[in-house]
Amino acid sequence: MRHNFFYIKHESGFFDQSPLNIHPLLTDIEEAAKAGELNLVLDSFSFDITSAFKIVELLKQKNVEYSVWLLSKNGSFSTIIALGAKGIRMTSFASLASVDATFWMHKFPLVMSLGTPWHLNPCEFIPWINYVETAVKSSNALVELERIDEKAFPSKSRNAAILHYNQLSHMMELYMHSQYRSRASSIADFFQASLGSFDSAAFFTELKKIGLNVYLMSDEELTTIENKVNINHV
């Protein structure tokens, strides 16, 4: 069987992330889709989810069904693209990353704590409220939170973080493949909250458990990919 492979490779690390040059990539993906069933081979540690949404949006607009092949530990860029695919094939050591508040490219609001900026994570609010409730022995913990620690969780920033979280959830659900429609919300929650911080990784077992259409690559498939020497985008 002949596969129409399109390779995307980014060798970014945790601390050298930058927005991708997305326009040439969009043009080349659109052209590649004309050659037959599209298979995106992802070996990318980018966390540029904005660019990933643009890729999935383009393919949806063109009514292009595509599959994803994961070779390595991938960033959230690949997570968004994989969720829009009809199928995911991966090596046993490949993984997808969370789409949480701890990484700046996910664009959650910043607050200052002891002179250090950090991204406000809505998933921390409830545990913190429970902690305050226990500490002050009050059932009105949200009021106590406002009074005791407005600096740590400013109400304006907190509301902005919740809004961004909800908007991101909506985007993830909207761009997921239609096969996930009935469980789109729980899949988004997994990558935004359950999986943990941006350096956490979801491997085959976890992805299968949450209901993704994922398979381990055969040795033959892996050899086919490894023998390809041309990388479309780096």
Side-chain angles (χ1 to χ4, degrees), residues 155-178:
S155 56
K156 183 178 179 180
S157 297
R158 189 186 321 136
N159 291 334
I162 293 171
L163 177 62
H164 185 68
Y165 184 96
N166 291 337
Q167 289 174 336
L168 190 51
S169 293
H170 176 70
M171 286 285 289
M172 291 176 68
E173 294 175 30
L174 183 65
Y175 286 96
M176 280 186 207
H177 194 275
S178 58

PDB file of all heavy atoms in Angstrom, residues 155-178:
ATOM      1  N   SER A 155      -9.193  38.350  41.194  1.00  0.00           N
ATOM      2  CA  SER A 155     -10.482  37.951  40.634  1.00  0.00           C
ATOM      3  C   SER A 155     -10.572  38.225  39.138  1.00  0.00           C
ATOM      4  O   SER A 155     -11.116  37.410  38.378  1.00  0.00           O
ATOM      5  CB  SER A 155     -11.621  38.660  41.375  1.00  0.00           C
ATOM      6  OG  SER A 155     -11.438  40.063  41.343  1.00  0.00           O
ATOM      7  N   LYS A 156     -10.029  39.351  38.677  1.00  0.00           N
ATOM      8  CA  LYS A 156     -10.080  39.662  37.251  1.00  0.00           C
ATOM      9  C   LYS A 156      -9.292  38.634  36.442  1.00  0.00           C
ATOM     10  O   LYS A 156      -9.769  38.127  35.418  1.00  0.00           O
ATOM     11  CB  LYS A 156      -9.526  41.065  37.001  1.00  0.00           C
ATOM     12  CG  LYS A 156      -9.601  41.501  35.545  1.00  0.00           C
ATOM     13  CD  LYS A 156      -9.088  42.930  35.375  1.00  0.00           C
ATOM     14  CE  LYS A 156      -9.154  43.352  33.912  1.00  0.00           C
ATOM     15  NZ  LYS A 156      -8.661  44.746  33.726  1.00  0.00           N
ATOM     16  N   SER A 157      -8.085  38.312  36.913  1.00  0.00           N
ATOM     17  CA  SER A 157      -7.260  37.315  36.216  1.00  0.00           C
ATOM     18  C   SER A 157      -7.872  35.931  36.313  1.00  0.00           C
ATOM     19  O   SER A 157      -7.801  35.136  35.371  1.00  0.00           O
ATOM     20  CB  SER A 157      -5.843  37.300  36.802  1.00  0.00           C
ATOM     21  OG  SER A 157      -5.205  38.534  36.602  1.00  0.00           O
ATOM     22  N   ARG A 158      -8.480  35.631  37.478  1.00  0.00           N
ATOM     23  CA  ARG A 158      -9.115  34.327  37.658  1.00  0.00           C
ATOM     24  C   ARG A 158     -10.245  34.139  36.652  1.00  0.00           C
ATOM     25  O   ARG A 158     -10.362  33.096  36.003  1.00  0.00           O
ATOM     26  CB  ARG A 158      -9.637  34.199  39.086  1.00  0.00           C
ATOM     27  CG  ARG A 158     -10.128  32.801  39.421  1.00  0.00           C
ATOM     28  CD  ARG A 158     -10.779  32.740  40.793  1.00  0.00           C
ATOM     29  NE  ARG A 158     -10.066  33.556  41.759  1.00  0.00           N
ATOM     30  CZ  ARG A 158     -10.680  34.348  42.623  1.00  0.00           C
ATOM     31  NH1 ARG A 158     -11.988  34.448  42.604  1.00  0.00           N
ATOM     32  NH2 ARG A 158      -9.981  35.041  43.497  1.00  0.00           N
ATOM     33  N   ASN A 159     -11.071  35.173  36.496  1.00  0.00           N
ATOM     34  CA  ASN A 159     -12.169  35.098  35.535  1.00  0.00           C
ATOM     35  C   ASN A 159     -11.646  34.977  34.107  1.00  0.00           C
ATOM     36  O   ASN A 159     -12.207  34.246  33.287  1.00  0.00           O
ATOM     37  CB  ASN A 159     -13.066  36.326  35.666  1.00  0.00           C
ATOM     38  CG  ASN A 159     -13.847  36.346  36.973  1.00  0.00           C
ATOM     39  OD1 ASN A 159     -14.102  35.293  37.552  1.00  0.00           O
ATOM     40  ND2 ASN A 159     -14.216  37.527  37.432  1.00  0.00           N
ATOM     41  N   ALA A 160     -10.542  35.681  33.820  1.00  0.00           N
ATOM     42  CA  ALA A 160      -9.946  35.596  32.485  1.00  0.00           C
ATOM     43  C   ALA A 160      -9.397  34.193  32.224  1.00  0.00           C
ATOM     44  O   ALA A 160      -9.503  33.665  31.112  1.00  0.00           O
ATOM     45  CB  ALA A 160      -8.831  36.629  32.340  1.00  0.00           C
ATOM     46  N   ALA A 161      -8.826  33.582  33.256  1.00  0.00           N
ATOM     47  CA  ALA A 161      -8.289  32.225  33.107  1.00  0.00           C
ATOM     48  C   ALA A 161      -9.400  31.218  32.860  1.00  0.00           C
ATOM     49  O   ALA A 161      -9.272  30.319  32.017  1.00  0.00           O
ATOM     50  CB  ALA A 161      -7.496  31.839  34.353  1.00  0.00           C
ATOM     51  N   ILE A 162     -10.496  31.359  33.594  1.00  0.00           N
ATOM     52  CA  ILE A 162     -11.642  30.461  33.399  1.00  0.00           C
ATOM     53  C   ILE A 162     -12.210  30.622  31.996  1.00  0.00           C
ATOM     54  O   ILE A 162     -12.529  29.641  31.310  1.00  0.00           O
ATOM     55  CB  ILE A 162     -12.720  30.728  34.459  1.00  0.00           C
ATOM     56  CG1 ILE A 162     -12.201  30.331  35.853  1.00  0.00           C
ATOM     57  CG2 ILE A 162     -14.006  29.968  34.147  1.00  0.00           C
ATOM     58  CD1 ILE A 162     -13.108  30.757  36.986  1.00  0.00           C
ATOM     59  N   LEU A 163     -12.324  31.875  31.547  1.00  0.00           N
ATOM     60  CA  LEU A 163     -12.835  32.134  30.203  1.00  0.00           C
ATOM     61  C   LEU A 163     -11.926  31.518  29.148  1.00  0.00           C
ATOM     62  O   LEU A 163     -12.401  30.864  28.204  1.00  0.00           O
ATOM     63  CB  LEU A 163     -12.952  33.645  29.980  1.00  0.00           C
ATOM     64  CG  LEU A 163     -13.403  34.085  28.580  1.00  0.00           C
ATOM     65  CD1 LEU A 163     -14.809  33.557  28.279  1.00  0.00           C
ATOM     66  CD2 LEU A 163     -13.373  35.613  28.448  1.00  0.00           C
ATOM     67  N   HIS A 164     -10.617  31.684  29.313  1.00  0.00           N
ATOM     68  CA  HIS A 164      -9.673  31.123  28.335  1.00  0.00           C
ATOM     69  C   HIS A 164      -9.732  29.595  28.342  1.00  0.00           C
ATOM     70  O   HIS A 164      -9.695  28.964  27.277  1.00  0.00           O
ATOM     71  CB  HIS A 164      -8.251  31.593  28.648  1.00  0.00           C
ATOM     72  CG  HIS A 164      -7.247  31.161  27.630  1.00  0.00           C
ATOM     73  ND1 HIS A 164      -7.226  31.652  26.335  1.00  0.00           N
ATOM     74  CD2 HIS A 164      -6.233  30.252  27.691  1.00  0.00           C
ATOM     75  CE1 HIS A 164      -6.249  31.083  25.663  1.00  0.00           C
ATOM     76  NE2 HIS A 164      -5.634  30.220  26.458  1.00  0.00           N
ATOM     77  N   TYR A 165      -9.831  29.019  29.524  1.00  0.00           N
ATOM     78  CA  TYR A 165      -9.944  27.564  29.636  1.00  0.00           C
ATOM     79  C   TYR A 165     -11.176  27.068  28.866  1.00  0.00           C
ATOM     80  O   TYR A 165     -11.100  26.105  28.096  1.00  0.00           O
ATOM     81  CB  TYR A 165     -10.047  27.176  31.108  1.00  0.00           C
ATOM     82  CG  TYR A 165     -10.082  25.684  31.376  1.00  0.00           C
ATOM     83  CD1 TYR A 165      -8.924  24.986  31.707  1.00  0.00           C
ATOM     84  CD2 TYR A 165     -11.272  24.962  31.311  1.00  0.00           C
ATOM     85  CE1 TYR A 165      -8.949  23.622  31.955  1.00  0.00           C
ATOM     86  CE2 TYR A 165     -11.309  23.601  31.561  1.00  0.00           C
ATOM     87  CZ  TYR A 165     -10.148  22.937  31.880  1.00  0.00           C
ATOM     88  OH  TYR A 165     -10.190  21.592  32.125  1.00  0.00           O
ATOM     89  N   ASN A 166     -12.300  27.733  29.074  1.00  0.00           N
ATOM     90  CA  ASN A 166     -13.541  27.324  28.416  1.00  0.00           C
ATOM     91  C   ASN A 166     -13.459  27.518  26.903  1.00  0.00           C
ATOM     92  O   ASN A 166     -13.950  26.682  26.129  1.00  0.00           O
ATOM     93  CB  ASN A 166     -14.724  28.093  28.986  1.00  0.00           C
ATOM     94  CG  ASN A 166     -15.044  27.699  30.422  1.00  0.00           C
ATOM     95  OD1 ASN A 166     -14.694  26.604  30.853  1.00  0.00           O
ATOM     96  ND2 ASN A 166     -15.680  28.583  31.159  1.00  0.00           N
ATOM     97  N   GLN A 167     -12.857  28.618  26.474  1.00  0.00           N
ATOM     98  CA  GLN A 167     -12.700  28.861  25.038  1.00  0.00           C
ATOM     99  C   GLN A 167     -11.792  27.820  24.401  1.00  0.00           C
ATOM    100  O   GLN A 167     -12.065  27.335  23.298  1.00  0.00           O
ATOM    101  CB  GLN A 167     -12.151  30.269  24.804  1.00  0.00           C
ATOM    102  CG  GLN A 167     -13.146  31.377  25.108  1.00  0.00           C
ATOM    103  CD  GLN A 167     -12.543  32.768  25.003  1.00  0.00           C
ATOM    104  OE1 GLN A 167     -11.321  32.940  25.144  1.00  0.00           O
ATOM    105  NE2 GLN A 167     -13.369  33.756  24.766  1.00  0.00           N
ATOM    106  N   LEU A 168     -10.717  27.470  25.102  1.00  0.00           N
ATOM    107  CA  LEU A 168      -9.798  26.461  24.591  1.00  0.00           C
ATOM    108  C   LEU A 168     -10.478  25.090  24.534  1.00  0.00           C
ATOM    109  O   LEU A 168     -10.299  24.334  23.567  1.00  0.00           O
ATOM    110  CB  LEU A 168      -8.547  26.410  25.465  1.00  0.00           C
ATOM    111  CG  LEU A 168      -7.361  25.577  24.974  1.00  0.00           C
ATOM    112  CD1 LEU A 168      -6.995  25.941  23.541  1.00  0.00           C
ATOM    113  CD2 LEU A 168      -6.166  25.785  25.880  1.00  0.00           C
ATOM    114  N   SER A 169     -11.264  24.779  25.545  1.00  0.00           N
ATOM    115  CA  SER A 169     -12.035  23.526  25.534  1.00  0.00           C
ATOM    116  C   SER A 169     -12.950  23.478  24.316  1.00  0.00           C
ATOM    117  O   SER A 169     -13.038  22.454  23.617  1.00  0.00           O
ATOM    118  CB  SER A 169     -12.880  23.405  26.807  1.00  0.00           C
ATOM    119  OG  SER A 169     -12.088  23.239  27.942  1.00  0.00           O
ATOM    120  N   HIS A 170     -13.640  24.591  24.080  1.00  0.00           N
ATOM    121  CA  HIS A 170     -14.562  24.658  22.941  1.00  0.00           C
ATOM    122  C   HIS A 170     -13.811  24.456  21.622  1.00  0.00           C
ATOM    123  O   HIS A 170     -14.277  23.724  20.738  1.00  0.00           O
ATOM    124  CB  HIS A 170     -15.276  26.011  22.944  1.00  0.00           C
ATOM    125  CG  HIS A 170     -16.169  26.220  21.755  1.00  0.00           C
ATOM    126  ND1 HIS A 170     -17.356  25.529  21.577  1.00  0.00           N
ATOM    127  CD2 HIS A 170     -16.028  27.032  20.663  1.00  0.00           C
ATOM    128  CE1 HIS A 170     -17.914  25.901  20.442  1.00  0.00           C
ATOM    129  NE2 HIS A 170     -17.136  26.796  19.865  1.00  0.00           N
ATOM    130  N   MET A 171     -12.645  25.099  21.489  1.00  0.00           N
ATOM    131  CA  MET A 171     -11.853  24.957  20.270  1.00  0.00           C
ATOM    132  C   MET A 171     -11.408  23.511  20.071  1.00  0.00           C
ATOM    133  O   MET A 171     -11.497  22.964  18.962  1.00  0.00           O
ATOM    134  CB  MET A 171     -10.635  25.872  20.338  1.00  0.00           C
ATOM    135  CG  MET A 171     -10.940  27.338  20.141  1.00  0.00           C
ATOM    136  SD  MET A 171     -11.273  27.739  18.407  1.00  0.00           S
ATOM    137  CE  MET A 171      -9.633  27.585  17.694  1.00  0.00           C
ATOM    138  N   MET A 172     -10.945  22.878  21.138  1.00  0.00           N
ATOM    139  CA  MET A 172     -10.492  21.496  21.026  1.00  0.00           C
ATOM    140  C   MET A 172     -11.635  20.583  20.595  1.00  0.00           C
ATOM    141  O   MET A 172     -11.470  19.721  19.729  1.00  0.00           O
ATOM    142  CB  MET A 172      -9.905  21.032  22.358  1.00  0.00           C
ATOM    143  CG  MET A 172      -8.591  21.706  22.715  1.00  0.00           C
ATOM    144  SD  MET A 172      -7.965  21.232  24.340  1.00  0.00           S
ATOM    145  CE  MET A 172      -7.548  19.506  24.050  1.00  0.00           C
ATOM    146  N   GLU A 173     -12.807  20.776  21.193  1.00  0.00           N
ATOM    147  CA  GLU A 173     -13.960  19.955  20.846  1.00  0.00           C
ATOM    148  C   GLU A 173     -14.404  20.210  19.412  1.00  0.00           C
ATOM    149  O   GLU A 173     -14.770  19.284  18.677  1.00  0.00           O
ATOM    150  CB  GLU A 173     -15.104  20.239  21.820  1.00  0.00           C
ATOM    151  CG  GLU A 173     -14.817  19.796  23.247  1.00  0.00           C
ATOM    152  CD  GLU A 173     -15.906  20.203  24.224  1.00  0.00           C
ATOM    153  OE1 GLU A 173     -17.082  20.297  23.790  1.00  0.00           O
ATOM    154  OE2 GLU A 173     -15.595  20.436  25.405  1.00  0.00           O
ATOM    155  N   LEU A 174     -14.373  21.470  19.001  1.00  0.00           N
ATOM    156  CA  LEU A 174     -14.815  21.842  17.658  1.00  0.00           C
ATOM    157  C   LEU A 174     -13.939  21.220  16.580  1.00  0.00           C
ATOM    158  O   LEU A 174     -14.425  20.809  15.519  1.00  0.00           O
ATOM    159  CB  LEU A 174     -14.803  23.375  17.531  1.00  0.00           C
ATOM    160  CG  LEU A 174     -15.301  23.970  16.213  1.00  0.00           C
ATOM    161  CD1 LEU A 174     -16.794  23.667  16.031  1.00  0.00           C
ATOM    162  CD2 LEU A 174     -15.065  25.480  16.190  1.00  0.00           C
ATOM    163  N   TYR A 175     -12.621  21.134  16.846  1.00  0.00           N
ATOM    164  CA  TYR A 175     -11.693  20.656  15.840  1.00  0.00           C
ATOM    165  C   TYR A 175     -11.367  19.173  15.964  1.00  0.00           C
ATOM    166  O   TYR A 175     -10.600  18.642  15.164  1.00  0.00           O
ATOM    167  CB  TYR A 175     -10.404  21.482  15.880  1.00  0.00           C
ATOM    168  CG  TYR A 175     -10.587  22.862  15.283  1.00  0.00           C
ATOM    169  CD1 TYR A 175     -10.861  23.956  16.087  1.00  0.00           C
ATOM    170  CD2 TYR A 175     -10.511  23.054  13.906  1.00  0.00           C
ATOM    171  CE1 TYR A 175     -11.049  25.218  15.541  1.00  0.00           C
ATOM    172  CE2 TYR A 175     -10.697  24.308  13.350  1.00  0.00           C
ATOM    173  CZ  TYR A 175     -10.964  25.386  14.173  1.00  0.00           C
ATOM    174  OH  TYR A 175     -11.159  26.631  13.627  1.00  0.00           O
ATOM    175  N   MET A 176     -11.955  18.487  16.936  1.00  0.00           N
ATOM    176  CA  MET A 176     -11.783  17.034  17.025  1.00  0.00           C
ATOM    177  C   MET A 176     -12.487  16.344  15.870  1.00  0.00           C
ATOM    178  O   MET A 176     -13.456  16.857  15.306  1.00  0.00           O
ATOM    179  CB  MET A 176     -12.356  16.506  18.343  1.00  0.00           C
ATOM    180  CG  MET A 176     -11.463  16.677  19.536  1.00  0.00           C
ATOM    181  SD  MET A 176     -12.170  15.875  21.001  1.00  0.00           S
ATOM    182  CE  MET A 176     -11.438  16.886  22.289  1.00  0.00           C
ATOM    183  N   HIS A 177     -12.008  15.167  15.536  1.00  0.00           N
ATOM    184  CA  HIS A 177     -12.662  14.366  14.508  1.00  0.00           C
ATOM    185  C   HIS A 177     -14.081  14.006  14.969  1.00  0.00           C
ATOM    186  O   HIS A 177     -14.336  13.830  16.154  1.00  0.00           O
ATOM    187  CB  HIS A 177     -11.855  13.086  14.241  1.00  0.00           C
ATOM    188  CG  HIS A 177     -12.275  12.380  12.997  1.00  0.00           C
ATOM    189  ND1 HIS A 177     -13.327  11.482  12.975  1.00  0.00           N
ATOM    190  CD2 HIS A 177     -11.783  12.431  11.719  1.00  0.00           C
ATOM    191  CE1 HIS A 177     -13.466  11.007  11.748  1.00  0.00           C
ATOM    192  NE2 HIS A 177     -12.544  11.557  10.967  1.00  0.00           N
ATOM    193  N   SER A 178     -14.984  13.894  14.017  1.00  0.00           N
ATOM    194  CA  SER A 178     -16.393  13.657  14.333  1.00  0.00           C
ATOM    195  C   SER A 178     -16.626  12.355  15.098  1.00  0.00           C
ATOM    196  O   SER A 178     -17.623  12.225  15.821  1.00  0.00           O
ATOM    197  CB  SER A 178     -17.221  13.639  13.041  1.00  0.00           C
ATOM    198  OG  SER A 178     -16.749  12.639  12.143  1.00  0.00           O
TER     199      SER A 178
END
